[in-house]
Amino acid sequence: MILYYLLTTFYVLVCLILLLVILLQQGKGGDMASAFGGGSSQTAFGARGGATLLAKMTTVFAVLFMLGALGLAIIGQRGPGSIVGGTLPPPPVSSPRTPAPITPTGNSPAKPTTPAQQAPAQQPR
Protein backbone atom coordinates (compact mmCIF):
# COMPACT_ATOMS: atom_id res chain seq x y z
CA MET A 1 0.00 0.00 0.00
CA ILE A 2 2.87 2.33 0.73
CA LEU A 3 4.21 1.60 -2.77
CA TYR A 4 1.01 3.04 -4.21
CA TYR A 5 1.43 6.30 -2.28
CA LEU A 6 5.11 6.58 -3.21
CA LEU A 7 4.34 5.99 -6.88
CA THR A 8 1.51 8.53 -6.79
CA THR A 9 3.78 11.17 -5.23
CA PHE A 10 6.49 10.44 -7.80
CA TYR A 11 3.91 10.63 -10.60
CA VAL A 12 2.64 14.04 -9.47
CA LEU A 13 6.19 15.39 -9.34
CA VAL A 14 6.91 14.04 -12.84
CA CYS A 15 3.71 15.70 -14.13
CA LEU A 16 4.67 19.07 -12.64
CA ILE A 17 8.23 18.94 -13.97
CA LEU A 18 7.01 17.85 -17.42
CA LEU A 19 4.60 20.77 -17.45
CA LEU A 20 7.37 23.23 -16.55
CA VAL A 21 9.81 21.79 -19.10
CA ILE A 22 7.25 22.02 -21.89
CA LEU A 23 6.29 25.57 -21.00
CA LEU A 24 9.95 26.70 -20.88
CA GLN A 25 10.66 25.62 -24.46
CA GLN A 26 10.59 28.07 -27.31
CA GLY A 27 8.29 27.63 -30.26
CA LYS A 28 9.55 26.28 -33.58
CA GLY A 29 8.80 29.51 -35.43
CA GLY A 30 5.35 28.48 -36.61
CA ASP A 31 3.92 32.01 -36.62
CA MET A 32 2.22 33.69 -39.59
CA ALA A 33 5.36 35.47 -40.82
CA SER A 34 7.22 32.21 -41.35
CA ALA A 35 4.24 30.71 -43.18
CA PHE A 36 4.51 33.36 -45.94
CA GLY A 37 8.28 33.35 -46.32
CA GLY A 38 9.10 35.95 -43.70
CA GLY A 39 11.15 35.41 -40.62
CA SER A 40 14.72 34.27 -40.20
CA SER A 41 14.43 30.74 -41.50
CA GLN A 42 14.70 29.84 -45.17
CA THR A 43 13.86 26.13 -44.86
CA ALA A 44 10.47 24.63 -45.66
CA PHE A 45 9.68 23.34 -42.17
CA GLY A 46 11.50 25.82 -39.97
CA ALA A 47 14.98 25.89 -38.51
CA ARG A 48 16.25 22.62 -37.14
CA GLY A 49 18.77 22.99 -34.35
CA GLY A 50 20.45 20.39 -32.23
CA ALA A 51 18.49 18.77 -29.43
CA THR A 52 18.65 21.11 -26.48
CA LEU A 53 18.69 20.14 -22.85
CA LEU A 54 14.99 21.03 -22.54
CA ALA A 55 14.10 18.77 -25.48
CA LYS A 56 15.97 15.85 -23.90
CA MET A 57 14.33 16.51 -20.53
CA THR A 58 10.93 16.56 -22.25
CA THR A 59 11.58 13.13 -23.73
CA VAL A 60 12.76 11.66 -20.41
CA PHE A 61 9.85 13.04 -18.41
CA ALA A 62 7.33 12.03 -21.09
CA VAL A 63 8.58 8.43 -20.81
CA LEU A 64 8.42 8.62 -16.99
CA PHE A 65 4.89 10.04 -17.29
CA MET A 66 3.73 7.10 -19.42
CA LEU A 67 5.43 4.47 -17.24
CA GLY A 68 3.97 6.07 -14.10
CA ALA A 69 0.47 6.03 -15.56
CA LEU A 70 0.87 2.39 -16.52
CA GLY A 71 2.22 1.46 -13.07
CA LEU A 72 -0.59 3.26 -11.23
CA ALA A 73 -3.17 1.59 -13.48
CA ILE A 74 -1.77 -1.87 -12.72
CA ILE A 75 -1.55 -1.27 -8.97
CA GLY A 76 -4.98 0.38 -8.86
CA GLN A 77 -6.58 -2.53 -10.71
CA ARG A 78 -6.04 -4.86 -7.76
CA GLY A 79 -8.24 -2.69 -5.55
CA PRO A 80 -7.51 -1.24 -2.14
CA GLY A 81 -5.73 -3.45 0.33
CA SER A 82 -7.04 -3.76 3.84
CA ILE A 83 -5.81 -5.25 7.09
CA VAL A 84 -9.19 -6.85 7.72
CA GLY A 85 -9.63 -7.98 4.12
CA GLY A 86 -9.26 -11.70 4.91
CA THR A 87 -11.49 -11.85 7.99
CA LEU A 88 -15.12 -12.85 7.97
CA PRO A 89 -17.78 -10.34 8.97
CA PRO A 90 -19.42 -10.80 12.36
CA PRO A 91 -22.66 -12.78 12.41
CA PRO A 92 -25.83 -10.69 12.23
CA VAL A 93 -27.35 -9.71 15.54
CA SER A 94 -30.71 -11.39 15.99
CA SER A 95 -33.47 -9.58 17.82
CA PRO A 96 -34.74 -11.19 21.03
CA ARG A 97 -37.71 -13.42 20.41
CA THR A 98 -41.02 -12.43 21.86
CA PRO A 99 -43.20 -15.25 23.06
CA ALA A 100 -46.26 -15.99 21.02
CA PRO A 101 -49.54 -14.98 22.66
CA ILE A 102 -51.24 -17.82 24.46
CA THR A 103 -54.60 -18.57 23.00
CA PRO A 104 -57.21 -20.49 24.93
CA THR A 105 -57.81 -24.03 23.82
CA GLY A 106 -61.00 -26.01 23.96
CA ASN A 107 -59.92 -27.93 27.14
CA SER A 108 -59.73 -25.03 29.56
CA PRO A 109 -62.39 -22.39 30.07
CA ALA A 110 -61.44 -18.98 28.81
CA LYS A 111 -61.40 -16.24 31.39
CA PRO A 112 -62.61 -12.91 30.16
CA THR A 113 -59.99 -10.31 30.76
CA THR A 114 -60.79 -6.69 31.23
CA PRO A 115 -58.35 -3.88 31.83
CA ALA A 116 -59.39 -3.77 35.50
CA GLN A 117 -58.49 -7.45 35.96
CA GLN A 118 -55.14 -7.16 34.20
CA ALA A 119 -53.57 -4.53 36.43
CA PRO A 120 -54.82 -3.72 39.92
CA ALA A 121 -55.71 -0.10 40.38
CA GLN A 122 -53.48 1.90 42.66
CA GLN A 123 -55.19 3.60 45.51
CA PRO A 124 -54.27 7.17 46.35
CA ARG A 125 -52.24 7.64 49.53
Side-chain angles (χ1 to χ4, degrees):
M1 194 65 177
I2 194 157
L3 176 68
Y4 180 77
Y5 292 124
L6 287 175
L7 191 59
T8 302
T9 304
F10 177 73
Y11 187 69
V12 169
L13 289 175
V14 166
C15 290
L16 291 175
I17 293 172
L18 180 63
L19 179 76
L20 289 174
V21 168
I22 289 173
L23 289 176
L24 285 175
Q25 292 184 19
Q26 289 183 347
K28 299 263 184 184
D31 55 349
M32 289 301 290
S34 66
F36 295 108
S40 62
S41 101
Q42 296 296 322
T43 61
F45 297 107
R48 171 110 174 131
T52 64
L53 177 66
L54 288 176
K56 291 178 184 178
M57 286 178 64
T58 302
T59 304
V60 169
F61 282 103
V63 169
L64 289 175
F65 174 81
M66 289 180 217
L67 291 176
L70 184 64
L72 284 173
I74 290 171
I75 291 175
Q77 192 175 27
R78 287 188 286 176
S82 175
I83 295 174
V84 294
T87 61
L88 296 174
V93 179
S94 61
S95 61
R97 293 187 177 193
T98 56
I102 301 174
T103 57
T105 61
N107 296 343
S108 63
K111 294 182 186 177
T113 58
T114 61
Q117 290 177 344
Q118 288 179 351
Q122 294 182 355
Q123 296 181 0
R125 296 181 191 204

